[in-house]
Amino acid sequence: QVQLVESGGGLVQPGGSLRLSCAASSNIFSFNTMGWYRQAPGKQRELVAHIPSVGITEYAESVKGRFTISRDIGKNTVYLQMNSLKPEDTAVYYCNALPPVGMEYWGKGTLVTVSS
């Protein structure tokens, strides 16, 4: 059973930055993709960014130019650097891992609140 543990959330002012981390209990390169999703109150969960084992990263239009997804294979960790944060970025952020076969995995989430 793969475990994903997110960290790095918190309260930040508009225009500020945060870096989220997702530590996986297994080799992240074994997954087809790893990604970050978010869910704001009263809204559906949406893709923020994902990084495939092979290929290019993809971002939601709303975060392009502000967020960057990256990974450290040696640490089995995926990061989400979030800059120029806006109040509408407030949400619970979830880490996701999609294996070649079988069910996808989710972390429990970390709350990001952007407010003055």
Side-chain angles (χ1 to χ4, degrees):
Q1 181 74 10
V2 174
Q3 291 186 331
L4 304 174
V5 180
E6 303 98 334
S7 61
L11 173 64
V12 63
Q13 292 186 342
S17 298
L18 282 176
R19 188 177 80 156
L20 305 183
S21 300
C22 170
S25 60
S26 65
N27 182 358
I28 62 172
F29 208 70
S30 67
F31 298 111
N32 283 352
T33 65
M34 290 197 70
W36 288 95
Y37 288 71
R38 68 185 181 187
Q39 187 167 16
K43 295 188 177 181
Q44 291 188 331
R45 192 172 297 189
E46 62 176 0
L47 174 68
V48 176
H50 72 101
I51 183 168
S53 57
V54 178
I56 61 173
T57 58
E58 294 186 7
Y59 296 90
E61 284 295 326
S62 59
V63 306
K64 280 184 179 178
R66 300 188 298 122
F67 291 11
T68 303
I69 189 171
S70 63
R71 64 188 171 204
D72 186 329
I73 296 173
K75 294 183 178 180
N76 288 325
T77 300
V78 175
Y79 303 97
L80 185 68
Q81 178 66 44
M82 306 186 295
N83 299 327
S84 302
L85 282 160
K86 305 175 181 180
E88 51 263 43
D89 294 318
T90 295
V92 178
Y93 284 71
Y94 297 92
C95 182
N96 172 272
L98 181 65
V101 294
M103 62 181 289
E104 60 188 336
Y105 298 98
W106 292 93
K108 294 183 178 181
T110 185
L111 177 63
V112 172
T113 303
V114 185
S115 176
S116 55

